Amino acid sequence: MADLPELVKSWIGKAVVVVERTVTVEKESWLNFCAAIQDGNPLYWDESFAQSHTDHTIAPFAMLPSWGSTHPWYPGKQGDGVRAMELHFMLKEALAYPNGIVTSVEMTYHEPVRAGDSVRVEQILRNVSEERATRLGPGRDWTIEVVYRRQDQVLLGLESMSFLGYRRS
Amino acid sequence: MNPTLALHARLPTRRIEVTTKSIIMGAVTSRDWAPLHHDVVWAKSEGNLPNIIMNNYTQAGLINAYVTDWSGPAARIGRLRFSMRSPICPGDALDLSGVIETIDPEPELIWVSLAIELTVGDRLATRSTVRVALPVSEQSPSLWQRRADAWQP
């Protein structure tokens, strides 16, 4: 990692991005996602079914990172706002890679998210590789860990994401 | 009611016809505004990709739905791991298939590990492992009512 900019070196091991309460979770938002993936799980849709399991309907776990992403526009917004994996975009910019893709994800699911909740997100940079040749162009791999907590600090989930940042050859 | 559990048993395959609409719907409803999931010109010219590609949240949602469609909603997914080997694009006929890798009974639940693949023809798009808890019986307490210290996914 000797070739990394000092700024990026200073990020390793730290919660570089902390996002507090960007949106309030609401049911119709997650049902739009369920419609997109055609997921009819009654825990997401059916209040009376959910009552005996989760007290109320819950949001799909796959959407946990979505609740840390700001609206694409809001009054007074400047720049890009907070994107779903803001630290990933900060790394792309700091390392001058116009492109980036997710290569692997590991999620551990804890307490489910319900309507009215908001989510606190901590993004921690774990590592950045040296530059290497990839089939998409020269690039680097990096890993970001994310801790998701409810507004009352209850743990919702843990995530580890591996990325490839690259520029066209 | 739980599905029949047997080591190495296969889950029913699910076919999904991937369209531009389904990729954009998945990205937008998961609040992912990155252009490689909705802007084909950008994906080709700037992303060096064949087309727009399915985002990882949509893939996670499809995998989770595939598991709970099989297990029933009383099951509770604890852990999801997946690696994306090649992009999923409009026009792909995407097959989800899975096999039971481990079965670990505990006093009030059964942990099951599933190996799941997302393939387009012979091409592997995504490989996944899911650890899901199933109740021992219909009379078992709901897994969703477990206190945090009793939920160790």
Side-chain angles (χ1 to χ4, degrees):
Chain A
M1 291 189 285
D3 61 338
L4 281 179
E6 289 301 319
L7 177 65
V8 174
K9 281 185 191 171
S10 75
W11 291 345
I12 293 174
K14 294 185 183 141
V16 182
V17 175
V18 178
V19 182
E20 305 267 8
R21 193 189 171 89
T22 53
V23 294
T24 301
V25 176
E26 55 107 8
K27 184 173 178 178
E28 294 305 325
S29 280
W30 81 63
L31 292 186
N32 282 331
F33 179 71
C34 293
I37 59 171
Q38 299 182 8
D39 186 349
N41 189 330
L43 290 177
Y44 310 147
W45 294 82
D46 184 342
E47 205 63 51
S48 61
F49 178 88
Q51 203 167 24
S52 58
H53 292 281
T54 50
D55 299 333
H56 294 283
T57 48
I58 59 172
F61 276 114
M63 287 191 76
L64 189 50
S66 310
W67 308 120
S69 174
T70 57
H71 296 298
W73 179 90
Y74 50 84
K77 179 175 183 247
Q78 295 183 337
D80 290 319
V82 180
R83 293 156 288 191
M85 282 298 292
E86 180 64 27
L87 179 52
H88 164 64
F89 292 99
M90 290 167 62
L91 276 162
K92 280 173 54 187
E93 286 152 18
L95 297 169
Y97 293 120
N99 309 302
I101 54 173
V102 181
T103 54
S104 68
V105 179
E106 179 166 2
M107 294 278 315
T108 307
Y109 299 131
H110 290 268
E111 185 65 18
V113 175
R114 297 172 177 82
D117 287 345
S118 59
V119 177
R120 182 182 195 275
V121 183
E122 273 188 22
Q123 300 176 12
I124 304 157
L125 179 60
R126 284 298 170 206
N127 55 61
V128 183
S129 76
E130 295 190 351
E131 187 165 285
R132 65 183 179 88
T134 80
R135 63 190 164 84
L136 293 168
R140 295 177 193 260
D141 308 284
W142 53 77
T143 304
I144 296 172
E145 288 182 2
V146 190
V147 181
Y148 297 94
R149 291 188 184 278
R150 204 166 60 192
Q151 64 274 12
D152 57 1
Q153 299 302 311
V154 166
L155 181 64
L156 301 170
L158 301 169
E159 184 175 31
S160 175
M161 296 183 80
S162 299
F163 296 89
L164 169 69
Y166 64 96
R167 70 180 72 87
R168 295 190 66 162
S169 341
Chain B
M1 203 170 104
N2 279 347
T4 305
L5 297 179
L7 266 183
H8 311 305
R10 302 200 69 83
L11 280 63
T13 299
R14 179 180 177 189
R15 164 70 58 93
I16 295 168
E17 302 293 343
V18 180
T19 64
T20 299
K21 179 182 174 182
S22 66
I23 288 178
I24 294 175
M25 274 184 77
V28 170
T29 59
S30 60
R31 307 178 59 78
D32 184 346
W33 325 117
L36 72 168
H37 307 307
H38 64 257
D39 184 339
V40 65
V41 173
W42 193 97
K44 288 180 175 176
S45 63
E46 302 298 323
N48 210 10
L49 295 163
N51 203 325
I52 59 168
I53 62 173
M54 184 181 285
N55 73 342
N56 77 90
Y57 308 135
T58 304
Q59 294 196 39
L62 288 175
I63 295 165
N64 287 348
Y66 177 63
V67 171
T68 53
D69 281 353
W70 165 77
S71 65
R76 182 172 174 181
I77 294 177
R79 188 178 291 259
L80 164 69
R81 181 184 301 144
F82 60 104
S83 58
M84 290 169 280
R85 306 299 177 87
S86 63
I88 300 170
C89 296
D92 285 348
L94 183 68
D95 288 323
L96 284 80
S97 60
V99 62
I100 297 176
E101 283 203 318
T102 64
I103 302 170
D104 298 309
E106 292 186 9
E108 290 184 330
L109 59 79
I110 305 166
W111 280 109
V112 176
S113 286
L114 303 168
I116 293 170
E117 288 189 344
L118 281 63
T119 53
V120 179
D122 294 333
R123 172 170 64 84
L124 175 66
T126 295
R127 179 166 282 149
S128 174
T129 306
V130 175
R131 180 168 151 82
V132 58
L134 283 75
V136 171
S137 72
E138 285 184 53
Q139 287 70 45
S140 301
S142 173
L143 299 173
W144 297 94
Q145 300 293 339
R146 292 200 151 213
R147 292 172 52 89
D149 56 3
W151 178 247
Q152 303 294 333

